[in-house]
Amino acid sequence: DVKVTQSSRYLVKRTGEKVFLECVQDMDHENMFWYRQDPGLGLRLIYFSYDVKMKEKGDIPEGYSVSREKKERFSLILESASTNQTSMYLCASSTRTKGSEQYFGPGTRLTVT
Amino acid sequence: GENVEQHPSTLSVQEGDSAVIKCTYSDSASNYFPWYKQELGKRPQLIIDIRSNVGEKKDQRIAVTLNKTAKHFSLHITETQPEDSAVYFCAASMGNEKLTFGTGTRLTIIP
């Protein structure tokens, strides 16, 4: 059974703080993704990674960076949190097979005050 | 890049009736179309998918149809049950592993 975990379910940070969100998967998946979910906007891709130390920008990368030092771990970094980054953040992983299922983590609800 | 539009944003149906959710995509190179279901407070999970070489796929009470010419695909749920209440997301992929999601449909089944 694929398991994707995220470091926190709820997080409250202040404007300007540096924020780390961590995601770990235990199925040896090559691909990992970070999305944010906002009402009426669906799931929007922030960054993804096809392999260790590889990263590619998604559709809304501004204000975010990522790190993938180990295959099982993918971190999302908010360099200087802003109120418009208040959102639900979802991590996902998949195999490298084209059209493979993405397995999601439980999500982190981040509030920036 | 790819753009996926999804309609309606909310849908209420009587238990036992059918529900249809429609999506359109912009890039004719897209060839993989999954549907994810997200129950309240839970993570999205894949429920069915279709590839561009197939026009229709069924799995018990759910089915997906694809019209490549018109660039749209639909999710059909028959004999709806209370546990079908959830948010449904369509998505499209251009053959790599990246998905572009629609904005979601909140389906409510009225007992």
Side-chain angles (χ1 to χ4, degrees):
Chain A
D1 217 16
V2 175
K3 193 170 183 182
V4 181
T5 58
Q6 295 182 227
S7 50
S8 305
R9 289 303 304 272
Y10 301 94
L11 207 53
V12 179
K13 295 292 182 181
R14 294 197 180 276
T15 302
E17 280 193 84
K18 190 169 185 176
V19 181
F20 293 87
L21 302 181
E22 294 209 321
C23 176
V24 177
Q25 50 94 6
D26 67 356
M27 282 303 291
D28 202 35
H29 283 172
E30 294 85 1
N31 303 328
M32 296 189 75
F33 308 84
W34 274 107
Y35 296 91
R36 64 177 283 177
Q37 182 175 13
D38 300 287
L41 297 178
L43 299 166
R44 293 182 292 165
L45 182 63
I46 304 172
Y47 266 98
F48 59 106
S49 171
Y50 289 133
D51 205 344
V52 176
K53 297 193 185 294
M54 283 191 58
K55 59 183 178 183
E56 292 203 26
K57 292 180 180 179
D59 300 317
I60 52 165
E62 297 78 18
Y64 303 94
S65 62
V66 291
S67 173
R68 193 166 180 200
E69 296 296 319
K70 293 185 177 182
K71 190 175 185 180
E72 67 271 17
R73 189 179 298 269
F74 193 34
S75 300
L76 179 69
I77 304 155
L78 286 67
E79 295 291 343
S80 177
S82 63
T83 55
N84 62 13
Q85 291 178 311
T86 292
S87 186
M88 171 68 82
Y89 290 87
L90 288 164
C91 173
S93 71
S94 71
T95 65
R96 192 168 282 163
T97 306
K98 289 178 181 178
S100 64
E101 177 177 358
Q102 290 192 13
Y103 294 86
F104 285 85
T108 296
R109 168 85 53 193
L110 172 67
T111 301
V112 182
T113 62
Chain B
E2 175 67 281
N3 183 50
V4 177
E5 294 190 359
Q6 183 172 348
H7 300 280
S9 57
T10 60
L11 179 62
S12 295
V13 300
Q14 293 283 3
E15 183 178 350
D17 288 350
S18 296
V20 180
I21 303 169
K22 299 181 180 182
C23 290
T24 60
Y25 59 99
S26 60
D27 197 320
S28 56
S30 289
N31 57 18
Y32 173 65
F33 308 92
W35 287 86
Y36 283 77
K37 175 184 180 182
Q38 186 178 29
E39 297 178 17
L40 188 62
K42 297 192 176 180
R43 65 193 79 189
Q45 290 190 298
L46 178 70
I47 55 170
I48 195 167
D49 56 14
I50 191 168
R51 299 177 193 274
S52 59
N53 58 347
V54 175
E56 184 175 1
K57 184 176 179 181
K58 286 184 179 179
D59 183 3
Q60 299 182 355
R61 295 187 298 108
I62 60 173
V64 57
T65 59
L66 172 65
N67 183 326
K68 288 172 57 180
T69 304
K71 289 190 284 187
H72 69 69
F73 57 111
S74 300
L75 177 72
H76 304 253
I77 307 174
T78 59
E79 300 173 12
T80 53
Q81 300 171 4
E83 55 264 36
D84 295 328
S85 292
V87 177
Y88 292 82
F89 294 98
C90 63
S93 172
M94 284 187 278
N96 53 26
E97 296 89 84
K98 176 185 167 185
L99 294 176
T100 300
F101 284 88
T103 50
T105 296
R106 181 174 299 279
L107 174 63
T108 301
I109 307 302
I110 304 167

